[in-house]
Amino acid sequence: MDSFGSDFSSGAAGSGKMDSGTIMEQVKVQIAVANAQELLQRMTDKCFKKCVGKPGGSLDNSEQKCIAMCMDRYMDAWNTVSRAYNSRLQRERARI
């Protein structure tokens, strides 16, 4: 069985069953990991395309600087969008 299925079938204290709170926490962790992986993949793809003209065995100094700056800007933008999104969610929840 794959690791995803075995995590849920192992159960709490060997009982074979898990409570819904534990399952929800595992799902939240898996979603957070998937989101982080997607962010890293997108950032890598975009910055590589922007900064590396001729792929080779190593990056020259200007490519390294470009990638570092690109990744910093990407993370800054992502953090700004995330804060705005979370703020909007909180405002929407407060209305309800």
Side-chain angles (χ1 to χ4, degrees):
M1 182 177 274
D2 65 4
S3 63
F4 181 77
S6 64
D7 286 346
F8 287 106
S9 64
S10 64
S15 68
K17 295 184 180 179
M18 296 177 72
D19 63 43
S20 62
T22 303
I23 293 171
M24 287 301 294
E25 285 304 311
Q26 286 185 348
V27 169
K28 287 178 184 178
V29 167
Q30 289 174 350
I31 289 170
V33 168
N35 285 338
Q37 288 172 333
E38 183 177 352
L39 171 66
L40 184 60
Q41 184 64 46
R42 284 184 180 186
M43 182 172 51
T44 301
D45 289 346
K46 289 182 183 292
C47 293
F48 184 86
K49 287 176 185 174
K50 177 181 177 9
C51 297
V52 180
K54 296 180 183 177
S58 63
L59 298 173
D60 66 28
N61 196 33
S62 64
E63 290 171 331
Q64 289 178 18
K65 287 180 182 178
C66 179
I67 288 174
M69 290 176 58
C70 177
M71 293 177 89
D72 286 345
R73 284 192 307 267
Y74 197 95
M75 288 301 297
D76 287 344
W78 188 83
N79 286 332
T80 300
V81 170
S82 294
R83 282 191 300 272
Y85 178 73
N86 287 331
S87 176
R88 183 171 181 171
L89 283 178
Q90 288 175 353
R91 285 193 311 268
E92 293 295 323
R93 287 179 183 155
R95 288 184 189 173
I96 297 175

